[in-house]
Amino acid sequence: MLALRRLSDAERDGNRIYAVIRGLGSSSDGRSNSIYAPLAKGQRVALDRAYADADCLPDSVELFEAHATGTPVGDRTELTALGGLLRESSEEQHFAALGSVKSQIGHTKGAAGTASLMKLALSLYNKTLPPTINVDRTNSQDHSVRASCNSFQNDRCV
């Protein structure tokens, strides 16, 4: 079960707090060939809005949870948007882990975002960097996109 509450209410009621959502960002990808053909430009706008709303710098984040569609276009688009954000945020290479809960439980369709949020909340609460399992290589056919993302695939629990 996932329950979202205002922080002040959760603290007042003595609830166990696993994580705090500090900011949100959304965007339309704009015009495209289809809804299934995402654009990095739109995803980047959502990332920029989320970090501005959270008043947080991207290079302060050590774990990114990807949607990871499992399609060449979707994965390349997501890595391009995230890679651009991270390259502009830091010159340091591979400073953050990149994972997807789908490697552990498969695609949960409409619950995919909730499963990812639960994974990250539990990771923060337990101070654990969960592994991305069952992945030998990325789906992006352009390996330069993956290499320039300033992230690494975590393959063991830390």
Side-chain angles (χ1 to χ4, degrees), residues 93-116:
Q93 293 291 309
H94 309 293
F95 65 87
L98 176 64
S100 174
V101 74
K102 289 181 185 80
S103 75
Q104 296 155 325
I105 63 173
H107 200 310
T108 55
K109 305 292 183 203
T114 302
S116 293

Side-chain angles (χ1 to χ4, degrees), residues 82-125:
L82 182 59
L85 177 80
L86 297 180
R87 281 191 306 280
E88 290 175 20
S89 179
S90 175
E91 292 182 12
E92 185 179 349
Q93 293 291 309
H94 309 293
F95 65 87
L98 176 64
S100 174
V101 74
K102 289 181 185 80
S103 75
Q104 296 155 325
I105 63 173
H107 200 310
T108 55
K109 305 292 183 203
T114 302
S116 293
L117 181 60
M118 292 172 74
K119 174 189 165 190
L120 289 179
L122 288 169
S123 174
L124 288 169
Y125 185 79

